[in-house]
Amino acid sequence: MTASGGPLTGLRVVEIASLAPGPFACMVLADLGAEVIRVDRVGDSAGLMAPSGVLDRGRSSIAVDLKTSEGREVVLRLVETADILVEGFRPGVAERMGIGPEDCAARNPGLIYGRMTGWGQEGPLADAAGHDINYIGVAGALDLLGRAGQNPSPPVNLLGDFGGGGMLLVVGVLAALQERTRSGLGQVVDAAMVDGAALLTAFVHGMHAAGLWEGGRGENLLDGGGAYYDTYECADGGFMAVGAVEPHFYAELLDRLGLSEADLPAQYDLDSAEELRTALATVFSSKTRDEWAAVFVGSDACVSPVLSPWHAHEHPHNKARDAFVEVGGIRQPAPAPRFGRTPAPVPRPGSVSGADTAAVLGELGYTEQQLVDLRTAAAIA
């Protein structure tokens, strides 16, 4: 059941099935070579996962009923062989199920126990329900997003679930693994999306402290307040992204657009930003997105087409880097980052729920008769 290739080859991860950020973290670990065994619920034929079949790539799956003592014992025996466990329950649920940090540490003192929650393991909101939009709202991240004079605009669920959640959990468990090389001991990693989303706002806190982020939403240097950092609609309804922040990049932007800086408001004059924005918008509306993309090829104007997730693979740069791969008939982002000596392999499709139960338990030493007994007790499927 071991994975091959990638810098994390040799690590075993036990993933207690959950939604969004936990599976994303385990996808990244699997992409980088770790063996990830997902523990699905008995009777959950689709698995507790996103329906696309992307976040589950690279996984084996066993189906276990954690409400049974036999099922809990299966997971704890699996923990004995693992380096990392990832769970996404509300605080206290894993402990009540008998697979909490203390239960697992008793079987494997070196286990890194990753906990993925929205609000964290303590605090007034720890037991409350929530979603990405709630976590980034409390973290101070959502208030930054959107146009001036309009409501905050949710960034899908990229900022809380995946950036501030799953990716932070990956950083945390890998840091704990590094510490384990000195102490020999595991520890709990409390990855809360509210914490991670707040961490992602560090830059704007610095800008604010320096007096460079004083306006409201959509009124600052990098949130659409400046016309040089915005998106513009083209003749065909497509959009171009403009990020000409530095003066020399801005000068090249105007040159490619056929505009004269002398005829326009000053680049950083936010009070006149709408006048400059109107001038840029008028020019961009004269050509299609692909025509403008051709105009800016080879330039340092920091202008690029805005592509949908379903068409990004067609861009020449993404093609050249093989930034997208096909796994199980679904085109999806390739593993990242890239490693010079231990490159990550192309991911394999994830197993359907419970497909690897017999193989994994056989590796743990369960006999055929014990497997029959577990199935009879509905502890596994």
Side-chain angles (χ1 to χ4, degrees), residues 48-104:
L48 186 61
M49 66 187 81
S52 65
V54 175
L55 292 184
D56 66 322
R57 70 191 190 191
R59 319 278 227 293
S60 304
S61 169
I62 64 174
V64 177
D65 186 352
L66 288 169
K67 295 179 181 179
T68 67
S69 59
E70 297 91 342
R72 288 191 294 274
E73 178 60 24
V74 166
V75 171
L76 291 172
R77 284 181 62 171
L78 187 57
V79 160
E80 293 173 2
T81 71
D83 299 283
I84 300 166
L85 181 142
V86 172
E87 57 95 350
F89 298 117
R90 293 197 202 188
V93 172
E95 285 84 347
R96 292 194 293 274
M97 298 177 79
I99 58 168
E102 292 186 5
D103 303 298
C104 291

Side-chain angles (χ1 to χ4, degrees), residues 101 109-114 172-173 175-177 179-180 183 185-189:
L111 183 75
I112 307 302
Y113 195 104
V173 298
L177 281 171
E179 192 281 333
R180 191 179 71 175
S183 68
L185 298 173
Q187 60 182 302
V188 175
V189 177

Side-chain angles (χ1 to χ4, degrees), residues 89-96 115 117 119-122 126-128:
F89 298 117
R90 293 197 202 188
V93 172
E95 285 84 347
R96 292 194 293 274
R115 315 199 82 165
T117 62
W119 302 114
Q121 295 300 308
E122 66 277 322
D127 292 324

Side-chain angles (χ1 to χ4, degrees), residues 15-29 55 59 86-88 116 161-162 165-166 169-170 193:
E15 173 191 0
I16 308 300
S18 60
L19 289 170
F24 176 72
C26 290
M27 183 198 81
V28 173
L29 295 172
L55 292 184
R59 319 278 227 293
V86 172
E87 57 95 350
M116 183 75 262
D161 279 354
F162 300 113
L169 178 59
V170 171
M193 286 175 260

